Amino acid sequence: RERKILLAAYGILVGPLYAFIIDTWYWATTLYPHTFDTWKYALYTATFWTLSHSAANVFFLLVFGDRVISMMERFRERFFWRHEGGGRS
């Protein structure tokens, strides 16, 4: 239960960060002139979209969080290895 809540908190934090990066890219590639006001405009127009995605992240991670965590644990067990000394000294 705690791990699922931590995963949902991660979704809350990372969603807006990703949206900020995408909105800045949108501003840099499509809006002219490149001023602080047009950058604020790009962020402002995407606010509802960003908040709805954060809410969706929380919802889906709380609903499917157990499955996501078990998939990540299987991935870690399958592909993680530790080098144990050996070789030349």
Side-chain angles (χ1 to χ4, degrees):
R1 176 94 180 135
E2 292 174 6
R3 293 170 71 183
K4 195 167 26 170
I5 292 172
L6 284 174
L7 188 62
Y10 176 78
I12 289 173
L13 295 175
V14 173
L17 176 64
Y18 177 75
F20 175 78
I21 292 168
I22 295 301
D23 296 339
T24 302
W25 173 82
Y26 166 73
W27 167 77
T29 58
T30 60
L31 293 179
Y32 296 100
H34 290 138
T35 63
F36 184 67
D37 287 335
T38 58
W39 181 69
K40 286 190 309 186
Y41 173 76
L43 295 179
Y44 174 74
T45 57
T47 301
F48 177 75
W49 189 258
T50 300
L51 293 176
S52 65
H53 275 96
S54 291
N57 281 349
V58 171
F59 173 76
F60 285 113
L61 288 172
L62 288 176
V63 171
F64 300 112
D66 294 329
R67 183 170 284 216
V68 170
I69 290 170
S70 67
M71 287 170 46
M72 289 191 302
E73 286 174 345
R74 280 188 311 215
F75 182 84
R76 181 182 60 200
E77 290 170 6
R78 185 171 181 188
F79 295 107
F80 182 77
W81 71 91
R82 183 186 336 214
H83 179 69
E84 294 183 9
R88 293 185 224 166
S89 50

